[in-house]
Amino acid sequence: MSDFLSQYKRTHTCGELRASNVGQRVTLCGWVQNYRDHGGAIFIDLRDRYGITQLKFDPTVDEAAHQQADRLRSEWVVGVCGTVVSRGENVNPKMATGEIEVLGELLEIFNPSLTPPFEIGDAPSANDNLRLEFRYLDLRRRPLQENLILRSRMNKLTRDYFDSQGFLEIETPILMKTTPEGARDYLVPSRVNPGQFYALPQSPQTLKQILMIAGYDRYFQIARCFRDEDLRADRQPEFTQIDLEMSFVNQNDVFEVLEGLMKAIVEPVTGQPVVTPFPRLTYREAIERYGSDKPDTRFGMELGSLTDILAESQLKVFADVVGSGGVIKAMNVKKGAEFSRSQLDKLTDFVKIYGAKGLAWIKINAEGWQAPIVKFFSDAEKAAIGERLGLEVGDLVLIVADQYRIAHESMGQLRAHLGKTLELADPNRYDLLWVVDFPLFDEADGKLNAMHHPFCNPNPADFELLFSDPGKVRAQGYDMVMNGNELGSGSIRCHRQDIQRRIFELLGIGEEEAEQKFGFFLRALQHGTPPHAGFAVGMDRLVMLLAGATSLRDVIAFPKTQKATDLMMQTPSRPDATQLTELKIRVTQ
RNA sequence: GGGGUGGUAGUUAAGUUGGUUAUAACGCCGGCCUGUCACGUCGGAGGGCGCGGGUUCAAGUCCCGUCCACCCCGCCA
């Protein structure tokens, strides 16, 4: 190991030298981005996370340094001492440091590099496989560095904001307790308690509520969470939440704090204004108008209901759907009459993914309505449809008739899909809104599941329904939505033990099970629980949206593949037999 | 568990209806070159087509299976 670094301190980064530095003697460190050997002069583009500076090695300036420079190849790490000189006529206006170059007088090769398997450029130059295997090389790319820099900045903005609002940052354990419902847990065996396991937290939910009971009335944490479920572009098994909980507050108080948080993060990062308070939509309204509980409100194209108009339709499929309690939802795609038959077929295939049996369409042409189904419509029906959807020549009507849930979901997905492909949303806009009044329960196969989580307070107005018609109970739960993405959710917590027990009962969690799984929590609730409420923001998604990325992998330093593996460290992997023996675990496969 | 897309030199891609020694660009190696910044220029090396079967006189090209990556459905309180 050379003593270069004890003799020469790095004086500047590769992104900061300007014309005003000409004449200074500087020391830079970085990676060789590119080299151009002219036989005499050798030009090296030296890169670090701050930028790129051109080095010039001239044999008439320093023979030894020039000979060293002749050996340099892509991604070698070097330190260089030299003088900042003007490039004179040869300024490169494309580079921030393009007015100057550093005339190399002493070159230290810290380390050579193997030839990189792919080019370290702005655009990804290899498939995901290879990029993930050589993550450290992919992370050298400018766009990924910018994303991680943005993320770091957002972490600081978050901490500063909560600090300014009197919140305490409190860490909760990673080794937690398995939970009875929700996602699958990641389990960690306990060596000193053979046969027993910890679970990694799906969220710090119970502990942050216990912190309220303990009197820490304003808590936040940038918390790592773990869920063993299948992945998506916007879902990693290990992710980060901006988690918070507050005592003695109502829903509006929570909203105010979060609106302030979003303002504090989004405005400096995007330069776009965040208007507060955010608009509010009830869950039901969101579903009926947008077919989604996380609508993108940057564009219109809202869903309309044709159920009443077509209840008696000559078209048997429509009338039958209405007769059996279903609904008919429609959407007016402006200028959509130009869609080709094959495009419409693709849209039909699209809604089928979500369970719709088909997609009807009508083109509004100058000569009249064009569609296979038009002949079944009376003039009165056509007039009513035209008025309901605001139809004009050139429009395209898309219709799904199905059960309530399928009709709304498939049309909602279709609306989002068309919004993307037709570029209906302004990419520079950040539409934040609250979706409120979620149902407390989700009914599937006659069984009730918690829509949010089992500690969510029922709307006090609906307490009676907990005993008469639990499926209709509204929760004091709310989601934050931005540009069609669920950014987070929260609720007023249930702080009455009798209500909490009734909820467990309805969820099919028996006394004994509740005691075993949540006993600690139910006991805590009896020791002076303040009314409290909280929220959690999906940090990774927020970074992704503000970075303009389309995958969480682009905002997480070391992400997992869709099969939840890490191709760089090659995990998961089999433990040593001795480890398993110590843990008293036998692997059966 | 299911649907879709992709896998061909180090990399990115092309490869006609199955048919002589599998193309290109970038990268890599060597020579020349003192104003390049996608440097230029001359020369060179490098793969048998993800893997395993099968059909055929003949298979990147067709069939079956399998692995990996990505997107989606289910799943994700």
Side-chain angles (χ1 to χ4, degrees):
Chain A
M1 183 89 193
S2 83
D3 57 357
F4 179 90
L5 290 174
S6 48
Q7 289 183 43
Y8 307 98
K9 261 199 133 37
R10 175 157 74 153
T11 59
H12 296 79
T13 69
C14 293
E16 69 174 307
L17 293 173
R18 296 292 184 273
S20 59
N21 299 103
V22 167
Q24 292 179 14
R25 201 177 145 79
V26 299
T27 300
L28 301 181
C29 296
W31 286 261
V32 173
Q33 172 74 32
N34 196 10
Y35 55 95
R36 294 174 293 280
D37 182 353
H38 287 250
I42 296 172
F43 297 100
I44 304 290
D45 292 336
L46 192 68
R47 183 200 69 235
D48 62 17
R49 75 170 164 91
Y50 307 90
I52 292 177
T53 297
Q54 175 167 284
L55 311 179
K56 184 189 178 188
F57 293 92
D58 188 322
T60 66
V61 171
D62 191 294
E63 180 68 42
H66 181 266
Q67 275 182 21
Q68 277 283 72
D70 196 35
R71 298 171 55 206
L72 295 183
R73 293 294 180 269
S74 293
E75 301 306 317
W76 288 29
V77 212
V78 303
V80 64
C81 298
T83 306
V84 183
V85 297
S86 166
R87 291 210 210 172
E89 299 291 293
N90 301 302
V91 163
N92 184 345
K94 285 185 282 186
M95 292 174 76
T97 60
E99 283 188 287
I100 56 90
E101 64 196 351
V102 171
L103 199 54
E105 291 150 25
L106 178 64
L107 176 64
E108 174 77 10
I109 295 175
F110 293 128
N111 238 329
S113 169
L114 295 175
T115 299
F118 53 85
E119 194 188 334
I120 317 291
D122 279 357
S125 57
N127 68 35
D128 299 286
N129 236 332
L130 203 64
R131 290 171 57 197
L132 289 167
E133 186 184 341
F134 294 91
R135 185 64 173 172
Y136 37 90
L137 298 182
D138 208 32
L139 285 172
R140 287 183 189 165
R141 294 171 45 239
R142 189 74 212 146
L144 285 188
Q145 295 201 332
E146 278 170 1
N147 290 349
L148 294 189
I149 290 166
L150 170 69
R151 185 172 184 137
S152 170
R153 197 175 154 211
M154 288 168 61
N155 276 321
K156 173 158 169 53
L157 289 167
T158 300
R159 291 202 162 92
D160 288 349
Y161 173 76
F162 280 118
D163 182 61
S164 77
Q165 300 295 309
F167 282 74
L168 297 175
E169 179 170 7
I170 301 174
E171 289 161 281
T172 52
I174 293 296
L175 296 177
M176 291 252 291
K177 185 178 172 69
T178 187
T179 45
E181 62 172 285
R184 270 181 287 270
D185 287 317
Y186 279 102
L187 295 177
V188 180
S190 167
R191 178 185 53 82
V192 290
N193 301 284
Q196 299 185 47
F197 296 79
Y198 304 96
L200 304 184
Q202 296 182 22
S203 84
Q205 187 61 40
T206 50
L207 295 183
K208 69 174 173 176
Q209 291 192 239
I210 286 175
L211 284 170
M212 294 304 106
I213 298 171
Y216 296 83
D217 62 347
R218 285 159 97 82
Y219 142 96
F220 89 100
Q221 182 179 196
I222 299 179
R224 198 61 73 82
C225 306
F226 307 85
R227 293 177 192 176
D228 185 7
E229 294 294 343
D230 287 345
L231 286 73
R232 289 286 188 283
D234 63 350
R235 250 163 50 192
Q236 283 273 312
E238 178 175 354
F239 60 100
T240 306
Q241 288 186 341
I242 303 174
D243 194 43
L244 68 112
E245 196 75 14
M246 305 162 72
S247 295
F248 311 118
V249 292
N250 62 27
Q251 182 168 290
N252 283 334
D253 298 321
V254 177
F255 285 3
E256 257 177 53
V257 163
L258 282 155
E259 284 163 357
L261 172 71
M262 296 309 288
K263 212 175 166 68
I265 293 175
V266 176
E267 285 190 342
V269 158
T270 66
Q272 299 292 321
V274 169
V275 180
T276 57
F278 303 164
R280 297 179 196 184
L281 273 181
T282 65
Y283 172 82
R284 192 180 173 83
E285 211 181 339
I287 296 293
E288 301 211 334
R289 285 171 58 189
Y290 300 99
S292 170
D293 60 2
K294 46 180 168 105
D296 190 338
T297 52
R298 288 175 299 171
F299 61 95
M301 205 160 78
E302 293 187 18
L303 309 187
S305 172
L306 305 182
T307 311
D308 54 333
I309 300 173
L310 296 175
E312 311 284 317
S313 172
Q314 291 296 302
L315 191 55
K316 201 167 171 311
V317 285
F318 284 181
D320 285 354
V321 163
V322 179
S324 60
V327 298
I328 302 174
K329 296 296 284 197
M331 185 163 68
N332 177 2
V333 184
K334 288 288 167 192
K335 301 193 173 65
E338 308 160 357
F339 278 39
S340 68
R341 186 57 195 255
S342 76
Q343 281 175 300
L344 291 168
D345 286 346
K346 286 211 179 77
L347 296 183
T348 304
D349 291 340
F350 182 85
V351 295
K352 283 181 178 169
I353 296 172
Y354 304 95
K357 285 180 274 301
L359 179 72
W361 53 267
I362 306 166
K363 290 179 176 183
I364 313 302
N365 292 331
E367 314 81 64
W369 290 21
Q370 179 206 337
I373 59 169
V374 161
K375 57 178 178 283
F376 297 104
F377 292 161
S378 69
D379 287 345
E381 285 168 343
K382 284 166 74 173
I385 293 170
E387 197 190 334
R388 176 88 36 103
L389 300 176
L391 295 179
E392 297 171 327
V393 169
D395 291 351
L396 169 72
V397 182
L398 297 174
I399 306 170
V400 168
D402 220 304
Q403 302 158 35
Y404 185 92
R405 216 188 121 170
I406 290 175
H408 286 92
E409 193 193 340
S410 60
M411 285 297 276
Q413 292 283 358
L414 184 61
R415 175 181 175 275
H417 174 72
L418 288 171
K420 272 196 197 90
T421 54
L422 301 176
E423 298 180 340
L424 299 179
D426 177 355
N428 293 315
R429 225 170 93 185
Y430 297 91
D431 268 20
L432 284 149
L433 62 119
W434 297 111
V435 176
V436 300
D437 289 348
F438 274 77
L440 190 62
F441 301 109
D442 189 24
E443 230 171 334
D445 311 325
K447 194 177 167 292
L448 293 179
N449 288 304
M451 187 100 170
H452 183 48
H453 60 61
F455 314 112
C456 185
N457 202 42
N459 190 316
D462 294 351
F463 274 176
E464 280 302 306
L465 290 171
L466 278 175
F467 299 90
S468 55
D469 192 357
K472 286 220 164 57
V473 176
R474 286 168 302 164
Q476 289 188 304
Y478 33 83
D479 274 8
M480 189 199 290
V481 172
M482 181 162 90
N483 296 357
N485 295 83
E486 180 194 324
L487 265 193
S489 64
S491 61
I492 307 287
R493 317 305 183 188
C494 180
H495 69 283
R496 270 177 54 179
Q497 219 209 343
D498 56 333
I499 301 288
Q500 186 66 67
R501 285 204 186 274
R502 174 62 185 159
I503 290 170
F504 282 156
E505 194 184 322
L506 288 165
L507 290 172
I509 303 173
E511 287 274 337
E512 202 174 311
E513 189 186 359
E515 179 53 36
Q516 193 207 330
K517 302 281 171 60
F518 287 128
F520 71 101
F521 182 64
L522 297 175
R523 200 144 41 251
L525 284 176
Q526 299 174 74
H527 285 84
T529 303
H532 60 288
F535 202 82
V537 178
M539 180 69 173
D540 311 271
R541 274 186 205 173
L542 181 58
V543 182
M544 177 175 93
L545 291 173
L546 297 185
T550 51
S551 170
L552 288 186
R553 276 182 288 270
D554 292 338
V555 297
I556 294 174
F558 301 104
K560 302 280 191 288
T561 68
Q562 194 161 50
K563 279 192 73 186
T565 66
D566 183 310
L567 296 177
M568 183 185 70
M569 36 181 175
Q570 303 202 353
T571 193
S573 57
R574 289 191 179 272
D576 287 345
T578 51
Q579 286 179 294
L580 291 176
T581 308
E582 220 171 26
L583 294 167
K584 308 245 185 329
I585 289 177
R586 187 180 304 127
V587 177
T588 58
Q589 211 180 344

